[in-house]
Amino acid sequence: MTPSHTIVFDLDGTLVDTAPDLITALNYVLDREGLPPVPMASARNMIGAGARKLIERGLEAEGRSVTVADMDRMTADFIGYYADNIAVESRPFEGLEAALDHFAAQGHRLAVCTNKLEWLSKRLLDQLDLSRRFAAICGADTFGVQKPDPTIFRETVARAGGEVKASIMVGDAGPDVGVARRAGVPVIGVSFGYTDVPIAELKPDRLIHHMRDLPAAASSLMTAQAVLK
């Protein structure tokens, strides 16, 4: 058995398919502004950099820009609506819970490192009965920085009780690969998430297409880390 590691997960598009509820919240805000809805298929890849950026991308799709004050108001409207409807259709990706069970049985720590706000992340994971599985759940506001700043990764691992040199990042997009590279840790990319640049092009250390493949991918990276020590 490999020594205990900390497996750090992105949230949106990695642990949970949150797109339906996020895009519903975006379209709620756009409707209030008299704008047409953004189609679900094209909006999925707008997700991943937080609520404000999602709204900005939604407005850009309609060729619109707004003042800072209007963006502040729209972001507040979005968060209010989303918080009340955070797990209507959002569900863990198939195979996730079996993968988490595997890691827990092996004695590994699990953590969440997301650009979503911490309280929203915890609310979502609470409603999906997943919070109890993670030693730390950290968001964009937890340490005052977002991915790909490596500080958020390092502090997440520390809060989970782990060590950066024995940790792995799992994510679906550029910020996840970026934070791993800057923190000096390996990264597993998932191909089923939300990204404007295909995850394969970002060259993660391992690439998986289903959560059933995560334990094997993580195990191979843990073995490689052990050899390098």
Side-chain angles (χ1 to χ4, degrees), residues 33-75:
E33 301 300 311
L35 296 171
V38 178
M40 183 69 66
S42 61
R44 288 177 66 88
N45 290 337
M46 297 180 183
I47 298 168
R52 195 179 189 93
K53 180 59 69 172
L54 176 59
I55 295 167
E56 289 177 1
R57 290 169 174 170
L59 291 169
E60 288 170 1
E62 298 298 331
R64 294 284 295 272
S65 61
V66 297
T67 65
V68 172
D70 283 340
M71 180 59 70
D72 289 343
R73 172 181 53 79
M74 293 169 71
T75 302

Side-chain angles (χ1 to χ4, degrees), residues 6-180:
T6 304
I7 317 298
V8 182
F9 293 86
D10 174 51
L11 178 48
D12 298 298
T14 300
L15 288 173
V16 182
D17 186 6
T18 53
D21 293 325
L22 284 166
I23 302 309
T24 296
L26 171 63
N27 285 334
Y28 166 81
V29 171
L30 294 178
D31 181 67
R32 285 171 64 94
E33 301 300 311
L35 296 171
V38 178
M40 183 69 66
S42 61
R44 288 177 66 88
N45 290 337
M46 297 180 183
I47 298 168
R52 195 179 189 93
K53 180 59 69 172
L54 176 59
I55 295 167
E56 289 177 1
R57 290 169 174 170
L59 291 169
E60 288 170 1
E62 298 298 331
R64 294 284 295 272
S65 61
V66 297
T67 65
V68 172
D70 283 340
M71 180 59 70
D72 289 343
R73 172 181 53 79
M74 293 169 71
T75 302
D77 287 347
F78 176 97
I79 291 172
Y81 180 90
Y82 181 61
D84 290 338
N85 300 274
I86 200 166
V88 176
E89 296 184 65
S90 295
R91 297 292 181 269
F93 284 103
E94 183 181 4
L96 171 68
E97 295 190 71
L100 298 182
D101 287 341
H102 170 86
F103 292 131
Q106 295 291 313
H108 301 305
R109 295 177 181 86
L110 303 174
V112 175
C113 180
T114 175
N115 283 345
K116 205 184 198 76
L117 295 173
E118 180 185 315
W119 71 273
L120 285 175
S121 302
K122 289 181 174 178
R123 176 175 290 198
L124 171 62
L125 293 170
D126 282 348
Q127 292 195 23
L128 296 176
D129 194 29
L130 290 174
S131 293
R132 59 189 171 81
R133 294 178 174 272
F134 299 100
I137 300 170
C138 302
D141 53 335
T142 307
F143 308 111
V145 294
Q146 297 187 26
K147 295 177 292 185
D149 188 316
T151 300
I152 189 173
F153 183 90
R154 296 184 187 122
E155 293 298 327
T156 297
V157 172
R159 183 167 290 191
E163 298 183 9
V164 171
K165 64 183 180 181
S167 62
I168 294 170
M169 182 69 202
V170 183
D172 66 324
D176 305 308
V177 175
V179 77

